[in-house]
Amino acid sequence: MAHLPAVRRLISHLHWSSSSSSTTLFSLRPLFSIPTFHKLYFLIPLSLKPCNPRTKTTVSHPRLTPNDTTLVLKKDERLESRSVIPEHIEGTSTTTIAAIVTSLGGPPSAVGIVRLSGPEAVAIVARVFRPARRKKGKTLGSGSWRPTSHVVEYGVVLDDHGNVVDEVLAIPMLAPRSYTREDVVELQCHGSEVCLRRVLRACLESGARLAEPGEFTLRAFLNGRLDLSQAENVGKLVSAKSIAAADAALAGIQGGFSSLVRSLRIQCIELLTDIEARLDFDDEMPPLDLNLIMDKIHGMSRDVENALETANYDQLLQSGLQIAIIGRPNVGKSSLLNAWSKNVQSERAIVTEIAGTTRDVVEASVSIHGIPVTLLDTAGIRETDDIVEKIGVERSEAVAISADVTIMTISALDGWTSEDNKLFNRIISNKRQHSFLHTFKKKRFVESSTPVILVVNKIDCAPSACTDLFVEGNSFSKHIFTCAVTGQGISDLESAILEIVGLNRIPAGGHRWTVNQRQCEQLVRTKEALARLKSSIEEEIPLDFWTIDLREAALALGQISGEDISEEVLTNIFGKFCIGK
C-alpha cells in the first residue's frame, strides 16, 4: 500500500508531460502486463481517465460481469501484450512449420508422418506433392494442388530436382478444423528414417521452417484450440508409461481439470463484481449476504483441496516408483523378482543355489495399481574379499539408499539372524545419513521416513516357523510372507506398497485427471488467497482488502489456464515437448 501514492504520481507525471492531445492513459499499456495495467487503473485519479470525445464523459473502467472469462476485459488480449507473448511466438501464425511427428531411432515402422502447419501449408505441399489421380482432360502441374479438407489423396513427393522421393498419402486438414486451428497437411510416408528425412527436406526447401519442440501444441494453445492445462496433458499423454497415466492425461485433455479451473475463476470474478459494485454504489445496493459468501468460499476451497490431492498421484504416474530388493546372499531375492515380473516379461535374474550369483543390479518393470514400478534386484550384501562381489555390494547399498521403497528379504529356513540385524542397521543408518545431508542442503532439518518392508521368503520350506520370524524392535513398515516358487504373498506385498505410498485411498480406476507441479503451485496460491479472504471477512476488514485476495485467486487460476501467463513459463512448458508435438 505504501507504493500506491508513488505509482499514482508516476502515471500523473507521464500523462501531463505529454504534449500530444491524443495521448491517453492507455498509451502506458505497453509498459505493463494486462493484469497489472488493470490493477493500476483503479488507482488513477478521475481527472486522468480517458474521456468519450462525443459525450465528453469519463470512460469508466470496464466492469466485471459474471459472464466474463477474463479478469477485467471480455476480449482475450494475450496476443496484444508483448510482456506475455514473445516476438518469436507472435509471428507463429505468419510462418509455416514442418516436422517428423513419428518417433525415430528405433526399429523402422511401416508408416511415418511429416506434418506441416501454417498459412502456407497447402501451397508448400503443392510444390512437392503430385497426386496420382488426374482430372479428366487436365494435367496437374507444380503448385496446382487444390485439396478438399479431410479427404486423403495418394501421390508422390518430389525433391527440387523433380526426382521422386517417396510415395505418400496426403491428408489436408484446413483451418479451423485441425489440431492447431491452422491449415495442416500430414504426409504419410514409408516409416524408414531415410524416407522421412527426404520428405521433410523437400518441404523445408519449399519454404517451411523446422518446428521448435512443442510448437504445434503451442499454436493450438495460442489459437484457442486448447488451454494451457490441456496442452500440458498432451505432453503427459505422449510420455505416459502406464494405462492409468494415459487415462489421467486423456481426461485432462478432454477438459476435466480445465472445467474446474474455469468454474472457480468465474466464481472469483462474480464475487469480485458484487464487492466492487458496492464499493462504488454502496447506498444503492442491498447488503452482502455474508453467509452465502462464506458458503461459496468454503465450496471453492474444498474443490481446490480435492484437486491438490491428485498432485502426489500425478508425480507417481510420471516418475513411477523404484523398489530395491536387498538381503543376504541366497535368501531368494532374484526368485522374488522373477515371480513378481513373470506376467510381464521372462525371468530377468539368474537363480542358482550358489550364494552370490547376482553381482550387479538387475531391473524389471511392473505396474502396481496403474503406477509404473521399477524393481531392482541387488547383490547379496555381506563382507567379502571378492573384488567383483564387493563392487556389487557397494552398488546394492547405493540402490537401497536412493530407492522409494526398500524390501529386505530373509529366508524362512534361517529366520532372523545376526547378519540380518547388522544389515538392517547398516541400511537404516545409510538412509538416515543420506536423508540428513539432503535436508541439510535444503535447510530443512526434518528427518524423512524410510519405508522398509520385511519379506520372509521361502515359507514353503518352513511354514510352521513363520510366525516366530518377525523380530520386535525392528522398525519395519510392514512384514509379508512370500513363496517365490508359487507366487504366494505377491499380492499382499503389492497391497502393502500401495498403503505405504498412500495409493490405497485412490479409487480403483485412479483419478480422472491429475495436476502437475506447476498447477499445484498455483492451486496452493489460490488456496492461500481464499484462506486470507475468509479471515478478512471474519475479522470484518474493509471490502477493499477482500478484492485483493479475490484478484490474487483469479490470477493464480488464470496462470493454470493460460489466460495470464508469462513468456518464461510458456517457454519452459513447451520446451519439454518433442519436436513433432
Side-chain angles (χ1 to χ4, degrees):
M1 298 295 289
H3 295 292
L4 299 187
V7 173
R8 185 182 291 113
R9 182 175 180 182
L10 170 64
I11 295 177
S12 300
H13 173 74
L14 291 174
H15 178 72
W16 290 112
S17 62
S18 174
S19 59
S20 173
S21 59
S22 61
T23 302
T24 68
L25 173 66
F26 288 96
S27 64
L28 299 174
R29 173 177 286 185
L31 302 179
F32 303 98
S33 67
I34 293 172
T36 303
F37 178 81
H38 291 155
K39 289 179 184 178
L40 293 175
Y41 195 97
F42 290 104
L43 310 177
I44 309 304
L46 187 63
S47 59
L48 293 185
K49 292 185 178 180
C51 295
N52 186 319
R54 294 183 179 180
T55 62
K56 304 300 183 181
T57 59
T58 302
V59 178
S60 62
H61 188 279
R63 282 293 169 190
L64 296 172
T65 67
N67 295 326
D68 282 343
T69 57
T70 58
L71 183 59
V72 179
L73 296 180
K74 291 183 178 179
K75 185 179 178 182
D76 185 354
E77 293 190 330
R78 287 176 298 182
L79 299 178
E80 295 180 11
S81 173
R82 297 188 64 85
S83 65
V84 176
I85 305 300
E87 182 177 354
H88 70 278
I89 294 179
E90 285 182 0
T92 55
S93 61
T94 63
T95 60
T96 298
I97 57 175
I100 300 171
V101 300
T102 44
S103 61
L104 299 174
S109 59
V111 177
I113 299 175
V114 174
R115 176 187 292 161
L116 297 91
S117 178
E120 297 296 318
V122 173
I124 291 172
V125 172
R127 298 181 192 124
V128 300
F129 175 68
R130 297 293 176 271
R133 179 175 58 85
R134 295 286 188 269
K135 294 183 179 181
K136 292 183 178 180
K138 293 184 179 180
T139 300
L140 297 180
S142 175
S144 60
W145 185 50
R146 297 292 182 267
T148 302
S149 185
H150 294 77
V151 174
V152 181
E153 292 193 50
Y154 164 74
V156 296
V157 170
L158 309 177
D159 61 16
D160 54 354
H161 300 294
N163 301 317
V164 175
V165 172
D166 195 11
E167 294 182 353
V168 302
L169 293 178
I171 307 175
M173 291 166 276
L174 306 184
R177 298 170 57 205
S178 69
Y179 179 67
T180 61
R181 284 192 174 168
E182 301 173 336
D183 285 347
V184 172
V185 180
E186 290 187 351
L187 300 175
Q188 292 192 2
C189 319
H190 290 91
S192 163
E193 184 173 343
V194 173
C195 295
L196 287 167
R197 293 197 182 280
R198 291 181 73 187
V199 171
L200 176 62
R201 184 183 303 112
C203 294
L204 298 179
E205 290 174 349
S206 297
R209 171 177 64 79
L210 185 63
E212 299 290 336
E215 190 169 355
F216 289 100
T217 303
L218 173 61
R219 292 189 175 205
F221 162 68
L222 294 177
N223 293 328
R225 168 70 170 75
L226 304 167
D227 70 12
L228 193 55
S229 66
Q230 290 174 306
E232 289 175 296
N233 277 291
V234 171
K236 287 184 184 179
L237 184 59
V238 171
S239 60
K241 300 177 182 178
S242 66
I243 293 176
D247 287 343
L250 192 57
I253 292 174
Q254 293 174 340
F257 180 50
S258 298
S259 299
L260 174 65
V261 172
R262 190 180 306 112
S263 173
L264 291 172
R265 197 163 185 267
I266 288 175
Q267 291 181 68
C268 288
I269 292 174
E270 286 176 344
L271 283 176
L272 193 55
T273 302
D274 291 340
I275 294 171
E276 287 186 336
R278 281 163 177 79
L279 286 174
D280 293 338
F281 310 105
D282 189 27
D283 297 336
E284 304 174 14
M285 300 189 68
L288 290 170
D289 187 340
L290 296 184
N291 291 329
L292 182 61
I293 291 177
M294 290 298 287
D295 289 342
K296 183 175 287 190
I297 295 172
H298 282 303
M300 294 167 62
S301 299
R302 185 169 56 251
D303 289 339
V304 171
E305 285 286 355
N306 292 337
L308 285 171
E309 288 178 0
T310 70
N312 182 52
Y313 183 59
D314 178 79
Q315 185 177 3
L316 290 174
L317 286 177
Q318 303 310 315
S319 59
L321 282 174
Q322 280 200 338
I323 299 178
I325 305 174
I326 67 168
R328 294 183 294 107
N330 215 25
V331 294
K333 300 184 300 298
S334 297
S335 298
L336 182 62
L337 175 86
N338 289 336
W340 206 340
S341 61
K342 69 179 181 180
N343 294 328
V344 180
Q345 50 198 305
S346 59
E347 291 188 354
R348 296 287 297 161
I350 299 174
V351 178
T352 70
E353 295 181 357
I354 303 173
T357 300
T358 302
R359 297 295 185 95
D360 206 346
V361 178
V362 179
E363 295 186 8
S365 298
V366 298
S367 178
I368 302 178
H369 201 65
I371 302 299
V373 174
T374 302
L375 303 177
L376 304 172
D377 176 28
T378 64
I381 299 178
R382 64 176 177 180
E383 297 294 336
T384 178
D385 294 329
D386 188 303
I387 297 177
V388 177
E389 187 176 0
K390 184 178 292 186
I391 295 174
V393 170
E394 292 174 353
R395 292 186 179 181
S396 298
E397 292 180 342
V399 165
I401 290 173
S402 60
D404 300 304
V405 178
T406 301
I407 294 176
M408 181 169 178
T409 311
I410 66 173
S411 171
L413 287 171
D414 302 329
W416 184 265
T417 66
S418 59
E419 288 81 4
D420 292 320
N421 196 57
K422 290 179 182 178
L423 172 58
F424 175 77
N425 292 332
R426 182 174 174 179
I427 295 299
I428 293 300
S429 176
N430 290 342
K431 275 183 168 287
R432 286 176 176 168
Q433 184 178 5
H434 176 77
S435 175
F436 173 78
L437 292 175
H438 182 68
T439 53
F440 179 79
K441 289 178 181 179
K442 291 188 174 184
K443 301 185 184 301
R444 291 173 53 236
F445 299 94
V446 180
E447 183 177 324
S448 59
S449 60
T450 306
V452 180
I453 299 175
L454 175 65
V455 168
V456 182
N457 198 23
K458 302 183 180 181
I459 59 171
D460 56 321
C461 300
S464 59
C466 289
T467 56
D468 301 327
L469 290 174
F470 182 67
V471 180
E472 296 291 340
N474 285 324
S475 305
F476 292 108
S477 303
K478 293 283 182 180
H479 62 283
I480 306 295
F481 301 105
T482 64
C483 173
V485 176
T486 64
Q488 179 183 347
I490 298 295
S491 59
D492 296 334
L493 182 55
E494 291 183 350
S495 298
I497 292 170
L498 291 175
E499 183 178 345
I500 286 174
V501 299
L503 293 178
N504 59 322
R505 298 184 298 273
I506 294 175
H511 288 295
R512 290 169 298 173
W513 42 260
T514 58
V515 299
N516 60 25
Q517 182 179 352
R518 186 193 72 85
Q519 296 162 352
C520 181
E521 291 172 356
Q522 299 305 321
L523 287 173
V524 169
R525 181 181 164 193
T526 303
K527 175 185 173 182
E528 292 173 348
L530 294 176
R532 291 194 300 269
L533 176 59
K534 285 191 287 188
S535 298
S536 298
I537 295 174
E538 291 169 352
E539 297 171 9
E540 299 182 353
I541 294 177
L543 296 181
D544 305 68
F545 291 89
W546 299 13
T547 63
I548 295 174
D549 296 322
L550 280 170
R551 279 199 183 90
E552 177 74 9
L555 289 172
L557 294 168
Q559 287 275 334
I560 296 175
S561 62
E563 293 176 87
D564 183 73
I565 200 70
S566 67
E567 171 190 349
E568 182 180 0
V569 174
L570 285 179
T571 303
N572 182 52
I573 291 173
F574 291 101
K576 297 176 182 177
F577 281 54
C578 59
I579 294 286
K581 201 60 182 177

